Structure formats: structure tokens, C-alpha cells
Amino acid sequence: MEAELKGHTGRVRSVAFSQDGSQVVSGSDDRTVRIWNVTMGEVEAEVKGHTDSVMSVAFSQEGSRVVSGSYDKTIPNLECDNRGHGG
């Protein structure tokens, strides 16, 4: 079954799957980064803090962190527990 991931209010610029495929991280022109539960189609975490469009997102190889790059010239990172909730 496919879940449609809805929630961003701007263009989605970047998406990436977690290594185990259970989560997706997305970055958008709405200046947010969201971590999604793929099966449920629900947001597990939302990061607000960028002051411009988010152009790049990625999970770390072990899946414990998410990083994002933005036109605001910052690269914050989010520590995640094993369910993807912000730490």
C-alpha cells in the first residue's frame, strides 16, 4: 500500500529514504524539514528554523541524524531516536 505524504505548503525540493526504508525526510520551500513514517503516511517530526528554502536533506548512514541545507546558508542537524522523532 502506498501512502501519500501531504503537509508541506511549498514546493518539495529534496527527499531521502532512511536506510531501512521506514522513513522519508523531506525539505521544502516552506522552510521546514519533515520526517515521515512511510507506512502510516504521517509526520513524525517537523523542524522549523530555516529562514529560506530547504534545498537538500539526508539521513546519516546509521540513521540517527538528519541534516539539511538551505539557501539561508545553514546546515543544522537533527538527532533522531530509532523511530525518527526529534531528539
Side-chain angles (χ1 to χ4, degrees):
M1 179 176 173
E2 293 181 15
E4 189 170 335
L5 308 178
K6 293 184 179 182
H8 283 293
T9 58
R11 290 183 189 152
V12 175
R13 297 293 189 159
S14 183
V15 296
F17 274 95
S18 61
Q19 191 161 348
D20 67 5
S22 67
Q23 297 170 311
V24 168
V25 61
S26 58
S28 171
D29 282 346
D30 66 10
R31 304 175 184 172
T32 66
V33 173
R34 296 174 191 225
I35 300 173
W36 305 83
N37 177 300
V38 173
T39 303
M40 302 299 290
E42 297 175 352
V43 175
E44 292 186 342
E46 179 178 0
V47 180
K48 298 178 181 179
H50 280 294
T51 60
D52 208 339
S53 297
V54 179
M55 302 304 292
S56 180
V57 294
F59 279 97
S60 61
Q61 187 170 357
E62 73 283 351
S64 65
R65 299 184 88 66
V66 169
V67 294
S68 57
S70 169
Y71 276 137
D72 66 9
K73 303 176 186 174
T74 65
I75 307 172
N77 65 71
L78 171 66
E79 188 170 337
C80 302
D81 68 18
N82 61 0
R83 294 177 308 281
H85 296 100

